[in-house]
Amino acid sequence: MQSSPLPRIGRTSRALALAGCLLLILPQVVVIITSIDPNPAAIFPPHDFSLVWYGNAITRPAFREALVMSVGVASVCALVATAIGTLAALLVVRHRFSGRNVLVAALQLPMLVPEVLLGLGFLILFSRIGLRLSLVNIVVAHVVITMPFAVRVVIANLQTVSPSLEEAAQVLGASPAASFLRVTLPVIRTGIVSALIFSFIVSFDNFTVTAFLVTGRGTLPIEIYAYIRTESDPTIAAISTMMIGVSVVGIFVIDRLLGIERLSRTQAAH
Amino acid sequence: MITAPGCRGCGVRAALAAPALVALALLAAALSSLLIASIGGTPWFQHYRKFLGDDLYVAYLVRSFRVAAWTTLVTIVVGYAIAYTMTQASATTRRLIVMLLVLQFFSISVTRIYSIILLLGNNGAVNRSLLALGVIDAPVRLIYNEFGVVIGLVNASLPFAVFPIFSVLERVPSSLREAAYTLGARRARSFWRIVFPLSVPGVAASVVIVFLYSLGAFATPLMLGGGFVDLISVFAYEQAINFSNYGFAAAGAIVSTVLGLALVYAFTVLIERRAET
């Protein structure tokens, strides 16, 4: 160690970093390659090329219904969570009142509670009050889970906007409602769109809480898990590849809106 | 709500707060139902007694904490290396790594875990490649054991480690490092004496996030444990869904969470004490 500390430290940490990046990228590469393997046993590497598993993924009614359900749940959840989050963000950024810090902390709470506790808690709550509507239960739980993300994103955006803009509009004779609609809303549009995207993704991705609440047909992650348990063909590899495609497009959209590098910094801020 | 004179804006505030307060009330209702279910039954606290009194159940707890500890250690070491590389890499490389981590963060967890099965399974790409190269004669078991669960959790939690550590490393003034060089400190020494202490806040934050995340993880142990590595979350799920044993499931999950939070609290206090001295 003492004799040649410089290159050894450098090499080891670079090797570790490379191993970490490989752990991130190799599964994605393998899943894309496997998705075009016509062999149902999916023995790596594929010896042939086929899109049969894409056909199976797209035409299978269970997946189509699950996708519709997932998009529906995530859309409703994103709209509701963002609406709640925007109102709460306006309150804590624009108003000073006692208990404000407590509210800010409480709004982050759902993100800090382990998902198993949330899933189990909602399962017990809903069964106690006799609410057996799988879909409604899932949406309610998802709204509670995604709200902190929406709040955080809108707060971050709102803090960059000076309240003097709204005050100026009001001095010029706009009613508070009009100054909100014509001035505040347009300037925090980026924050609201980001909050919608974030909460949509968090809800769409959710497996744990949904698994506790689902009865009968499930969301896409639930149906994917059910398929993996019973089948071993690469249909899920085809779905995964399409998901990676959607994620890449989504990331480019977010990059355009927010800037990915900035995102990595705000990530670090909490 | 209250429109007493002298409370201008109270109505507006109440209207802004109301929807969020409803959501928080639902959260409180869910968590208190959980707590009540875990305590209730006759006699009181029977679920906790049953859980803590049986080695079989305590084993779930031990396994969960062991897996979470390993995951945290590996994630922090590898995450630190990635973050450190990012501070020295070109803008393009750094952007590429950020994209990779963000893609990871935004990918659907179930398909991400499935991809790991394709990579590390008995018939997976790694085993197939090693067999073809003649390095091994029979597939090596890389998943469906604790190792596989740890690898899956490291894969999921790397973004939680890299971003906080990168942001503190980036703020280390390069003049400090240069001063150390000028004063004759070797690179390793200047790292451990100057850079690392300054990055402790980022590392500590990552430790807390990654540890709590992996302690509560559900999908990864469920899918990569293959029934051999039942962690506390899988126990809670099976008790609740397969046996409708809500109280017992709740007791197990609560014990694990409270112990985890206590550990994290102790860790934070320890770090703050050291920072003061």
Side-chain angles (χ1 to χ4, degrees):
Chain A
M1 201 71 168
Q2 275 294 319
S3 56
S4 62
L6 308 186
R8 263 192 60 190
I9 297 290
R11 263 208 299 268
T12 319
S13 51
R14 227 176 307 153
L16 279 172
L18 184 68
C21 289
L22 284 178
L23 178 62
L24 292 176
I25 204 160
L26 280 183
Q28 319 256 19
V29 173
V30 169
V31 84
I32 294 171
I33 294 173
T34 307
S35 72
I36 50 127
D37 187 350
N39 183 350
I43 309 264
F44 190 87
H47 297 286
D48 215 342
F49 174 87
S50 155
L51 294 177
V52 58
W53 308 117
Y54 286 86
N56 187 33
I58 292 166
T59 53
R60 221 183 155 79
F63 287 138
R64 238 188 340 211
E65 285 163 24
L67 180 66
V68 169
M69 180 170 170
S70 274
V71 170
V73 166
S75 304
V76 173
C77 170
L79 285 172
V80 176
T82 306
I84 297 175
T86 306
L87 295 179
L90 281 169
L91 177 69
V92 299
V93 176
R94 288 287 187 262
H95 294 259
R96 291 288 169 274
F97 52 94
S98 58
R100 180 176 158 274
N101 292 337
V102 178
L103 183 63
V104 173
L107 288 170
Q108 299 303 316
L109 208 57
M111 209 157 76
L112 303 175
V113 181
E115 280 194 45
V116 169
L117 290 194
L118 287 174
L120 189 55
F122 276 111
L123 172 67
I124 296 172
L125 173 68
F126 290 139
S127 76
R128 284 286 137 79
I129 60 177
L131 197 62
R132 293 184 207 291
L133 304 161
S134 182
L135 204 57
V136 176
N137 294 357
I138 291 171
V139 170
V140 168
H142 279 205
V143 167
V144 173
I145 301 168
T146 53
M147 184 189 65
F149 293 90
V151 172
R152 169 166 287 181
V153 172
V154 182
I155 284 182
N157 189 244
L158 208 52
Q159 275 167 343
T160 64
V161 179
S162 163
S164 55
L165 271 178
E166 291 150 62
E167 282 157 19
Q170 291 189 30
V171 167
L172 293 173
S175 68
S179 78
F180 173 75
L181 284 176
R182 309 284 283 274
V183 179
T184 315
L185 212 52
V187 260
I188 61 168
R189 197 179 48 207
T190 320
I192 291 177
V193 173
S194 312
L196 283 171
I197 296 174
F198 261 95
S199 30
F200 184 94
I201 293 171
V202 171
S203 161
F204 191 89
D205 174 38
N206 188 279
F207 176 76
T208 306
V209 172
T210 316
F212 275 94
L213 299 177
V214 75
T215 50
R217 293 208 175 282
T219 55
L220 196 56
I222 301 289
E223 292 299 325
I224 288 174
Y225 172 67
Y227 193 87
I228 295 171
R229 280 187 66 176
T230 51
E231 313 287 331
S232 57
D233 66 55
T235 302
I236 303 302
I239 294 182
S240 304
T241 305
M242 293 189 274
M243 289 292 177
I244 293 172
V246 174
S247 301
V248 168
V249 171
I251 288 170
F252 273 106
V253 172
I254 295 173
D255 194 22
R256 272 294 175 81
L257 282 175
L258 283 172
I260 289 291
E261 296 251 358
R262 228 187 79 203
L263 194 73
S264 70
R265 278 180 195 111
T266 50
Q267 267 279 321
H270 48 102
Chain B
M1 225 152 69
I2 307 156
T3 43
C7 188
R8 268 186 61 224
C10 270
V12 175
R13 282 179 208 168
L16 292 176
L21 291 179
V22 170
L24 289 177
L26 279 167
L27 175 74
L31 292 182
S32 39
S33 317
L34 186 77
L35 193 63
I36 292 167
S38 78
I39 294 172
T42 38
W44 279 18
F45 292 104
Q46 55 155 338
H47 299 305
Y48 288 96
R49 264 186 232 128
K50 185 176 162 200
F51 184 85
L52 292 168
D54 192 329
D55 289 346
L56 179 75
Y57 299 124
V58 175
Y60 284 104
L61 215 55
V62 174
R63 219 176 287 134
S64 296
F65 278 84
R66 187 168 57 222
V67 166
W70 274 114
T71 303
T72 310
L73 181 69
V74 176
T75 307
I76 297 298
V77 170
V78 175
Y80 203 108
I82 294 179
Y84 201 82
T85 309
M86 277 167 67
T87 60
Q88 308 191 334
S90 66
T92 322
T93 314
R94 190 168 59 225
R95 214 177 141 72
L96 219 63
I97 296 177
V98 170
M99 287 286 187
L100 194 61
L101 289 163
V102 172
L103 181 65
Q104 179 70 4
F105 192 67
F106 282 130
S107 61
I108 304 302
S109 51
V110 180
T111 58
R112 190 174 43 71
I113 299 165
Y114 171 76
S115 310
I116 295 174
I117 298 176
L118 289 184
L119 180 70
L120 298 177
N122 277 352
N123 255 327
V126 166
N127 266 316
R128 282 282 148 188
S129 307
L130 292 178
L131 281 172
L133 291 170
V135 179
I136 51 172
D137 301 321
V140 183
R141 200 184 177 89
L142 296 170
I143 51 169
Y144 304 137
N145 52 25
E146 282 187 23
F147 175 80
V149 176
V150 169
I151 291 294
L153 289 172
V154 170
N155 172 281
S157 46
L158 269 176
F160 303 132
V162 175
F163 288 130
I165 295 175
F166 175 65
S167 84
V168 290
L169 280 180
E170 218 189 12
R171 284 201 292 265
V172 175
S174 55
S175 57
L176 265 184
R177 258 178 287 177
E178 279 154 23
Y181 277 133
T182 319
L183 294 173
R186 288 164 189 277
R187 193 190 283 182
R189 203 176 143 90
S190 84
F191 170 78
W192 287 112
R193 298 291 288 270
I194 294 168
V195 181
F196 186 75
L198 285 171
S199 65
V200 163
V203 173
S206 310
V207 166
V208 170
I209 301 170
V210 174
F211 184 78
L212 289 181
Y213 167 80
S214 40
L215 190 63
F218 173 62
T220 308
L222 184 71
M223 293 173 68
L224 293 179
F228 299 102
V229 193
D230 284 347
L231 303 190
I232 201 77
S233 48
V234 181
F235 156 84
Y237 177 79
E238 283 174 351
Q239 288 293 328
I241 303 300
N242 299 349
F243 308 114
S244 293
N245 216 341
Y246 295 162
F248 194 39
I254 288 174
V255 167
S256 158
T257 307
V258 168
L259 272 178
L261 288 175
L263 260 178
V264 163
Y265 179 73
F267 170 79
T268 318
V269 167
L270 203 75
I271 291 285
E272 274 167 11
R273 282 250 177 87
R274 293 207 60 176
E276 278 162 19
T277 53

